[in-house]
Amino acid sequence: MTDDVHPLGAGIRLRPVTRADAASLAAALTRSRTYMKPWEPVRPDSFYTEEGQRARLAGLLADRDAGRSMPWVLSDAEDRVVGGFTLNAIVLGACHSAVLGYWVDVELAGRGLATAAVRTVCEVARNDLRLHRVEACTVLHNVASQRVLAKCGFEEFGVAPRYMHIDGEWRDHRLFQRILHDGPMTGAED
């Protein structure tokens, strides 16, 4: 279920984000700011504050409550946020799809946590949200994220020129998708 906590090993778990995560999110994003700079939009300094994260969480949780997104965090044994994973742009109807975005704290990068979490998010997308497809994209030179997606069953299906404004420029992106099932649609059809 989407509100379940999913252990990923080594004391790390994937769990739904809460309003109480604002300070911990701000600390993790500040810690990882330089590391994530090549893959992120330019953000104002206020984004990296507890207040900035509180405002961001209000939007994320409103979108979740409206069925448009499902945000999770990675948290460690002390419940400190060490990453974020979100299914955005959830569309039902004939598509039954979503767009995946994610990041892992600089202190834990390269340990397989993104792969474990992406696999778990895809299981939830298929089994609980009943989605048919999940899409993700990466800047052309984000090889580490491309490896994560490939390990999780995503296939590249194209390149989008000047797709997102990342690190101060419109950047080309590789587009990936994972088909979760080809079975009949069940659940809400609209």
Side-chain angles (χ1 to χ4, degrees):
M1 183 167 274
T2 54
D3 59 352
D4 288 344
V5 173
H6 304 274
L8 301 179
I12 304 296
R13 61 198 181 132
L14 181 73
R15 64 166 176 78
V17 71
T18 69
R19 283 175 173 40
D21 290 320
S24 191
L25 269 166
L29 289 164
T30 298
R31 226 179 6 259
S32 301
R33 186 175 185 173
T34 300
Y35 168 72
M36 294 192 315
K37 183 180 182 296
W39 330 120
E40 289 284 307
V42 174
R43 303 203 192 264
D45 289 340
S46 61
F47 177 84
Y48 299 93
T49 66
E50 182 176 351
E51 297 76 26
Q53 288 306 300
R54 196 174 294 121
R56 179 173 160 259
L57 284 171
L60 279 172
L61 294 172
D63 282 348
R64 180 204 61 201
D65 293 345
R68 293 185 295 263
S69 74
M70 185 58 221
W72 293 273
V73 292
L74 287 183
S75 62
D76 64 13
E78 290 81 39
D79 206 29
R80 182 178 72 131
V81 172
V82 292
F85 291 74
T86 305
L87 287 173
N88 295 295
I90 295 174
V91 176
L92 298 179
C95 288
H96 269 69
S97 67
V99 177
L100 173 65
Y102 60 92
W103 61 275
V104 174
D105 192 302
V106 63
E107 293 179 357
L108 296 174
R111 298 184 188 181
L113 294 171
T115 300
V118 168
R119 283 184 178 134
T120 301
V121 167
C122 287
E123 288 173 17
V124 171
R126 176 192 163 103
N127 299 334
D128 298 336
L129 300 175
R130 300 185 184 340
L131 298 181
H132 162 70
R133 175 182 175 276
V134 174
E135 181 176 325
C137 66
T138 72
V139 180
L140 295 182
H141 59 281
N142 191 345
V143 176
S145 193
Q146 292 164 19
R147 279 195 304 261
V148 166
L149 294 170
K151 285 188 238 176
C152 293
F154 283 76
E155 298 176 306
E156 184 176 343
F157 70 94
V159 173
R162 298 176 303 282
Y163 186 65
M164 279 192 219
H165 201 261
I166 299 295
D167 195 21
E169 294 184 28
W170 290 103
R171 308 265 181 192
D172 297 350
H173 280 65
R174 294 191 190 285
L175 305 175
F176 295 84
Q177 68 177 2
R178 178 172 169 191
I179 304 300
L180 302 173
H181 70 86
D182 280 328
M185 288 186 13
T186 58
E189 310 299 312
D190 47 328

